[in-house]
Amino acid sequence: MTFDNLFNAQLDQLKEEGNYRIFAELERQCGKFPRAANHTDGEAQDVTVWCSNDYLGMGHHPAVIDAMVKTVEACGTGAGGTRNISGTNIHHLALEAELADLHAKEAALLFTSGYVSNWAALSTLGSRLPNAVILSDSENHASMIEGIRHSRADKVIWKHNDPEDLDRKLAALPSNATKIVAFESVYSMDGDICPMAEIVEVAEKHGAMTYLDEVHAVGLYGPRGGGISEREGLADRITLIEGTLGKAYGVVGGYITGSAALCDFIRSFASGFIFTTALPPAVAAAAKVSVAHLKTSGMERARQRQQVAKLRARLDAHGIPHLENDSHIIPVMIKDPVKCRQIADILMADYGIYVQPINYPTVPKGTERLRFTPGPLHTDADIEHLVGALATLWKQCALSRAVA
Ligand code: PMP
């Protein structure tokens, strides 16, 4: 007996809507990033990657690679257990100390991904703290939403980036509630940045805890890469800062930082920490080198900023609509799922440009887009090639030049 008809019915619907996801089969090549070989249609094709979250190319940095290779040779491939049962290695502890220092917090705790860190931390806080109510920004990432849902705590959604709405919603809560305000610094799909000082002020006024996801900001903002909270001098007023090692740091893994008591609490009660194999020591060693490098080197961040500004200016010069924001993320709006995929396909096939179409449910229907993330390793010639291709396709596909 096969159940495939049940699976296929839903998959066919996704295909009809233009929302079915197809992998690009990339082979990242050491030292050549953002160039990669695309194997999707059998033959290898050289492409330039424009949608990587290895924002600074640190996954190809010689010192990061060297740390990973040497640690594999010294410690083997896997951690060999959960953190509590034989899986804690000196490299995990060294990385946790590095991350605590990055955010000027007492302690840090590693997870196998940023997704798991959000899920595990929020589900633990929401389920264990007395009368917990989690106030969640309406645009929060799926990993936070799932963690909140799993906690079964009361949830209140406040209007995206709107401290006044948060203020009203906090004021309406009973005085015995343990209030947790969950939000992000850089929102990954629109690239907008939260009004952090106002949010923190409102939370403090109501005695609420603050839970901040800095996944798209760590390594990229602040003098040492400590994120928007470092840049704005607010880290010490945020209860918990969560981040990833898989984006600007170019490796994999997630973490939280906060007081020693907070990290010990999550370490002691979070099933997503306790019941899973620890990150490989080599991953921790490589991530530590990457974090330490970006604490002292501002070169990658400065060059990234330059290339982001250049791409924006060139898109403007060609009248190609993109969302305005103050981050490194440039969303070019197509507003149609089928056209979005077609344009991405043509960019790949005819121009060797890889950008993944972003469709529903990642973004609301009607706001489909191509999300470009220029980095320090994109050349000016790469930018000209991309903008030339987009300008041609804009004419061919008769796309709107309005953003909203
Ligand atoms: N938070 C946000 C805002 C994200 O965008 C993502 C991943 N895209 C995550 C958390 C999860 O991070 P990771 O990829 O390390 O699992």
Side-chain angles (χ1 to χ4, degrees):
M1 179 134 76
T2 171
F3 295 97
D4 286 356
N5 57 332
L6 294 177
F7 308 135
N8 283 329
Q10 295 195 32
L11 291 171
D12 288 346
Q13 175 151 6
L14 277 186
K15 285 175 192 166
E16 243 166 61
E17 293 166 354
N19 290 328
Y20 182 70
R21 293 181 168 109
I22 299 162
F23 289 142
E25 298 174 34
L26 295 187
E27 186 183 3
R28 286 176 29 124
Q29 288 161 333
C30 210
K32 293 193 183 162
F33 189 72
R35 244 59 62 194
N38 171 38
H39 294 268
T40 308
D41 292 320
E43 299 259 302
Q45 173 201 11
D46 284 333
V47 296
T48 302
V49 181
W50 275 101
C51 54
S52 178
N53 280 347
D54 183 352
Y55 291 127
L56 300 176
M58 290 304 289
H60 290 252
H61 193 285
V64 178
I65 294 170
D66 191 48
M68 190 177 277
V69 170
K70 286 206 171 108
T71 314
V72 165
E73 283 165 0
C75 299
T77 51
T82 65
R83 284 292 297 275
N84 289 312
I85 307 178
S86 94
T88 294
N89 193 281
I90 51 165
H91 296 289
H92 298 118
L93 300 174
L95 175 57
E96 285 172 343
E98 189 76 55
L99 292 165
D101 174 74
L102 175 67
H103 296 289
K105 297 285 186 196
E106 286 174 359
L109 194 65
L110 285 172
F111 295 83
T112 43
S113 72
Y115 188 103
V116 174
S117 60
N118 272 334
W119 183 86
L122 280 166
S123 53
T124 305
L125 293 170
S127 62
R128 292 226 156 231
L129 295 177
N131 308 315
V133 181
I134 303 180
L135 297 104
S136 179
D137 182 286
S138 62
E139 302 282 310
N140 274 345
H141 188 254
S143 54
M144 298 166 90
I145 295 169
E146 289 298 333
I148 296 165
R149 187 175 296 158
H150 187 252
S151 80
R152 300 200 184 163
D154 285 344
K155 167 162 120 174
V156 175
I157 295 173
W158 48 288
K159 252 192 243 156
H160 178 55
N161 278 349
D162 186 340
E164 285 175 19
D165 189 48
L166 174 64
D167 190 22
R168 277 189 296 274
K169 288 182 167 152
L170 277 164
L173 295 177
S175 59
N176 70 344
T178 306
K179 301 156 198 152
I180 304 164
V181 175
F183 61 113
E184 301 179 23
S185 55
V186 177
Y187 286 84
S188 67
M189 289 302 142
D190 286 358
D192 52 336
I193 299 178
C194 76
M196 199 176 290
E198 285 99 315
I199 293 170
V200 169
E201 206 155 294
V202 168
E204 284 175 349
K205 180 174 123 187
H206 294 278
M209 214 178 262
T210 36
Y211 184 110
L212 173 64
D213 175 317
E214 289 252 41
V215 158
H216 293 276
V218 288
L220 302 173
Y221 299 90
R224 301 192 314 154
I228 303 293
S229 55
E230 185 195 26
R231 188 183 77 180
E232 316 274 307
L234 292 166
D236 62 335
R237 291 167 65 189
I238 311 259
T239 317
L240 183 155
I241 298 174
E242 182 269 348
T244 186
L245 303 165
K247 299 190 194 287
Y249 294 124
V251 192
V252 70
Y255 65 89
I256 60 160
T257 61
S259 71
L262 166 64
C263 291
D264 201 21
F265 178 78
I266 303 292
R267 187 184 77 85
S268 302
F269 293 114
S271 66
F273 177 83
I274 298 168
F275 298 108
T276 187
T277 300
L279 285 172
V283 164
K288 180 177 181 294
V289 168
S290 188
V291 173
H293 176 86
L294 290 176
K295 269 182 187 169
T296 52
S297 170
M299 197 176 71
E300 293 82 0
R301 285 189 281 276
R303 165 92 180 153
Q304 180 201 39
R305 225 149 280 160
Q306 219 176 46
Q307 297 311 78
V308 168
K310 264 185 212 157
L311 177 55
R312 271 207 189 102
R314 298 301 292 140
L315 290 171
D316 287 342
H318 282 83
I320 296 167
H322 56 94
L323 290 185
E324 283 303 333
N325 62 49
D326 295 319
S327 75
H328 58 286
I329 294 164
I330 305 183
V332 167
M333 305 308 281
I334 311 290
K335 297 185 269 183
D336 177 287
V338 177
K339 276 188 184 163
C340 199
R341 166 147 295 288
Q342 276 169 351
I343 291 176
D345 286 348
I346 298 170
L347 284 172
M348 182 81 112
D350 296 355
Y351 297 92
I353 289 168
Y354 171 46
V355 59
Q356 189 67 27
I358 310 276
N359 286 350
Y360 177 83
T362 309
V363 293
K365 285 182 183 168
T367 72
E368 292 80 7
R369 65 196 66 183
L370 302 174
R371 174 184 177 273
F372 295 96
T373 53
L377 300 172
H378 286 109
T379 64
D380 292 358
D382 290 335
I383 292 176
E384 284 315 309
H385 181 58
L386 170 63
V387 172
L390 284 172
T392 306
L393 290 175
W394 231 255
K395 271 190 218 124
Q396 276 172 10
C397 301
L399 287 165
S400 159
R401 289 183 183 269
V403 184

